[in-house]
Amino acid sequence: MLRTSARLTVNVKNHMTHSIYQRWGEQAAENAIALATESRLLFDAKHLPRAYYLSHMATEESAKSILLKTMGISGTPETEISKVSRLVRDHKKKIEFLVTYAVAFSEELQKSLGNLQADLIDHINDLKNDTMYVSCKAESVVSPIDRVTNVDVEKYVQLAEALSQHAKSLLPRPSTD
């Protein structure tokens, strides 16, 4: 019985290590770190619209990483990859998942989210898109800098940094064998 149990543990570990979802999630976490770092650089250089945009993209990429890790752990069949791909392309679902995940599983992330929870979901695509493109709303032309004038961009940059670090912390530790 012990031998079978040990073999099962090894098989589960091997499945996790080699799961497409696991590899995809690991790379998404690394990308989230890069996006958050670039967001900080843009913020420090006072490029606020693009700093916000990249912080938002880092947040979504962190959510994707955590979702994919969950898919790997739960044993989601790789035959479901097209459905999973659609899910991780849905911006609103990723953010809703992230908010739910943070509240349920991490006091630190819940604290990082703070009062941004509702804002993340409510203006998910509008603010993100408006920080990249000039738009016209109610017969007024609105530039990206106009859109972030009343936004505390640093809070979003800090959130992106915290979330990407959390996603990275979920990665498997390198083997010391």
Side-chain angles (χ1 to χ4, degrees), residues 16-95:
M16 281 290 301
T17 304
H18 297 93
S19 163
I20 187 70
Y21 303 119
Q22 186 71 17
R23 290 191 311 270
W24 191 4
E26 289 169 4
Q27 289 187 19
E30 293 297 332
N31 192 42
I33 293 283
L35 288 165
T37 299
E38 293 163 14
S39 175
R40 171 59 65 186
L41 292 170
L42 288 168
F43 178 80
D44 291 345
K46 308 287 188 248
H47 296 283
L48 301 182
R50 299 319 184 272
Y52 173 85
Y53 180 82
L54 284 184
S55 70
H56 187 88
M57 299 312 294
T59 297
E60 285 193 32
E61 195 73 345
S62 296
K64 180 167 71 175
S65 174
I66 296 166
L67 268 166
L68 291 167
K69 180 171 178 63
T70 302
M71 298 295 168
I73 290 170
S74 69
T76 302
E78 291 183 12
T79 57
E80 297 291 317
I81 200 160
S82 64
K83 290 179 184 175
V84 172
S85 293
R86 278 193 305 278
L87 172 66
V88 298
R89 281 193 308 267
D90 187 319
H91 307 291
K92 189 171 183 175
K93 284 193 186 309
K94 284 187 289 192
I95 296 301

Side-chain angles (χ1 to χ4, degrees), residues 29 59-71 73 92-113 117 120-121 159 162-171:
T59 297
E60 285 193 32
E61 195 73 345
S62 296
K64 180 167 71 175
S65 174
I66 296 166
L67 268 166
L68 291 167
K69 180 171 178 63
T70 302
M71 298 295 168
I73 290 170
K92 189 171 183 175
K93 284 193 186 309
K94 284 187 289 192
I95 296 301
E96 287 172 343
F97 165 79
L98 190 61
V99 168
T100 302
Y101 172 87
V103 169
F105 295 108
S106 173
E107 283 186 40
E108 181 182 332
L109 288 182
Q110 186 177 4
K111 183 179 174 186
S112 293
L113 277 171
Q117 288 181 33
L120 278 173
I121 294 170
L159 176 62
L163 291 169
S164 63
Q165 287 298 322
H166 180 77
K168 185 176 179 180
S169 77
L170 297 175
L171 297 177

